[in-house]
Amino acid sequence: MNENSLPSIDQLKEQAKSLRNIKAKDGVSLGHSQCLELVAKGHGFKDSNCLSAAASNESGAKPYFIGQRVSGHYLSTPFAGELVLVKGSDDPSLTIVRVKFDQPIDVVKFDSFSNFRRQVTCSLTKEGVTREKTSNGVPHMVLDYSADFSAVKG
């Protein structure tokens, strides 16, 4: 399911309530939080927190969430990794994220010297790019997607 077509938070809660009622008719007693977890799994998310974060994006919240898998280029080097920090910025059009790379990235382009990074913190736009650029005009980080988070569920 594409996150752009997720139900609202209220609709997800209603789905959990309906599931609870259906299960009760079958003689199975489940709590509301258990039903929320089942609804999250049904939408392809790891848990209800990830689903809630994704559904919140529908209302203009930041499009990133902790645990989200991302890939792209950092200082022109391809990477895959996971968001381990997501927080708001003083600029509402930016989100501060920390990416933990699956494999360390050498951020130095000289043959005689290396400096490997396991993670990096930067400010991203909703389009998945930094405003900061290298001397040749390339953004420091560019994610491989543009506000399409269907492949990066928690």
Side-chain angles (χ1 to χ4, degrees):
M1 169 177 271
N2 185 326
E3 287 184 27
N4 291 328
S5 62
L6 281 176
S8 69
I9 298 287
D10 289 338
Q11 291 170 325
L12 291 168
K13 288 178 181 179
E14 278 301 314
Q15 287 179 7
K17 184 177 177 181
S18 294
L19 177 62
R20 187 176 183 185
N21 291 337
I22 289 167
K23 290 294 188 180
K25 288 179 184 176
D26 292 338
V28 178
S29 176
L30 294 174
H32 186 67
S33 61
Q34 290 173 301
C35 292
L36 285 171
E37 294 299 319
L38 290 171
V39 167
K41 300 257 190 248
H43 283 283
F45 288 83
K46 179 174 71 174
D47 57 36
S48 61
N49 289 330
C50 290
L51 175 58
S52 178
S56 294
N57 294 338
E58 299 297 309
S59 63
K62 51 191 174 247
Y64 308 106
F65 52 91
I66 293 174
Q68 181 177 1
R69 297 288 305 162
V70 294
S71 62
H73 289 79
Y74 178 68
L75 299 178
S76 300
T77 302
F79 75 87
E82 179 178 335
L83 297 183
V84 295
L85 170 79
V86 177
K87 67 180 185 175
S89 167
D90 291 339
D91 181 340
S93 67
L94 296 174
T95 302
I96 298 169
V97 300
R98 180 173 302 135
V99 179
K100 181 178 179 186
F101 302 124
D102 292 345
Q103 299 295 320
I105 292 178
D106 189 357
V107 297
V108 176
K109 301 298 178 195
F110 298 108
D111 292 335
S112 60
F113 180 72
S114 292
N115 184 12
F116 288 91
R117 302 284 306 268
R118 297 273 304 137
Q119 58 186 4
V120 63
T121 302
C122 60
S123 298
L124 294 176
T125 66
K126 288 184 180 182
E127 292 75 33
V129 298
T130 58
R131 289 186 182 156
E132 298 77 20
K133 297 181 179 176
T134 60
S135 59
N136 63 354
V138 176
H140 287 185
M141 181 174 287
V142 178
L143 299 184
D144 282 341
Y145 54 85
S146 280
D148 175 13
F149 302 98
S150 58
V152 287
K153 294 179 184 174

